[in-house]
Amino acid sequence: MTERPADNVSRDAKILSIGPSSVRWTGDALEIDIAERDKRLGIPWRRPVRGRVRVVPEMLNPVGFALDPEEKHIWQCLAPRARIVVEMNDPDISWSGSGYIDHNRGTESLEEGFRSWHWSRAHLSDGAVVCYEGERADGSRFASALRFDQHGVPAQDELPMMADLPNSKWQVQRRTRADKGEAKVDKTWEDTPFYARSTVSSRVYGEPVIAVQESLDLRRYASPIVQFMLPFRMPRRKF
């Protein structure tokens, strides 16, 4: 996770290279080769981080969704369900489990288009569900629930009730969607001044689920103090 200049980035139809790391589509899987060094504040010895992540979709979805009336921001869930295998050399760890692939694209930055964002995704017995909502920069709100069947075909569904979650340690407001508006945070994976990612237990459409949930405060992200702090978390190379 290092920001790099344009001449350190290259891509074609199948591969994206960013410095020594790359993301490659093999035809049936997404392979992520990681060759970085951990240079966070408080870690003086630049610990190497090397390995490969392989994400194999169980279903694919070709449809993207506009998040604003002008279609400046498009979100697409490429693989609503996937299998993931992680094999790291440095540190020497590995595991496998369930995964997911999505992406955002647009003609302006997220902080120009939105004030806040809440998102969650869970596997269902017959597919997957994604709930997302937020507030745009103009103050208008958006919210949607998408259910993907076993073939990856998306359909809009009734939005479950809102469930307020405890604020993160950095006081980022968190919320999700669940039956009866009942959900609890099992574990917080990422807790930063503007972003929190968590594992949430709830029930959705009558099924008990373990969901991945994230909340993003883009007003905080755009603040000068957070922009000043970012290079300590994500180094920036000028050459």
Side-chain angles (χ1 to χ4, degrees), residues 49-92:
V49 180
R50 300 187 185 94
R52 172 171 290 182
V53 179
R54 181 175 169 83
V55 189
V56 184
E58 296 178 353
M59 56 182 70
L60 290 170
N61 163 51
V63 182
F65 297 87
L67 301 180
D68 62 303
E70 293 81 19
E71 299 188 358
K72 294 181 179 179
H73 299 271
I74 306 295
W75 168 79
Q76 184 175 347
C77 175
L78 297 165
R81 292 180 65 124
R83 302 186 310 278
I84 185 170
V85 178
V86 180
E87 296 179 342
M88 301 299 296
N89 300 318
D90 293 307
D92 184 15

Side-chain angles (χ1 to χ4, degrees), residues 113-115 134-142:
F114 302 95
R115 297 179 182 176
E135 184 178 359
R136 302 184 183 99
D138 63 5
S140 63
R141 296 182 178 273
F142 65 98

Side-chain angles (χ1 to χ4, degrees), residues 169-225:
K169 290 181 179 179
W170 280 97
Q171 296 304 303
V172 173
Q173 184 183 52
R174 294 185 285 189
R175 64 178 55 157
T176 190
R177 295 286 175 160
D179 295 354
K180 300 182 180 180
E182 298 175 354
K184 71 179 185 72
V185 175
D186 292 333
K187 184 175 183 179
T188 299
W189 295 351
E190 292 283 343
D191 191 352
T192 77
F194 61 91
Y195 174 79
R197 175 174 287 189
S198 314
T199 307
V200 173
S201 294
S202 67
R203 184 175 290 269
V204 179
Y205 302 122
E207 290 190 37
V209 299
I210 303 295
V212 176
Q213 184 276 342
E214 67 178 18
S215 293
L216 176 62
D217 188 326
L218 287 153
R219 289 167 294 186
R220 283 193 180 185
Y221 172 79
S223 70
I225 189 169

Side-chain angles (χ1 to χ4, degrees), residues 39 226-236:
K39 291 177 282 188
V226 169
Q227 290 297 310
F228 173 78
M229 293 166 60
L230 278 176
F232 295 97
R233 178 69 175 179
M234 180 183 290
R236 294 171 177 168

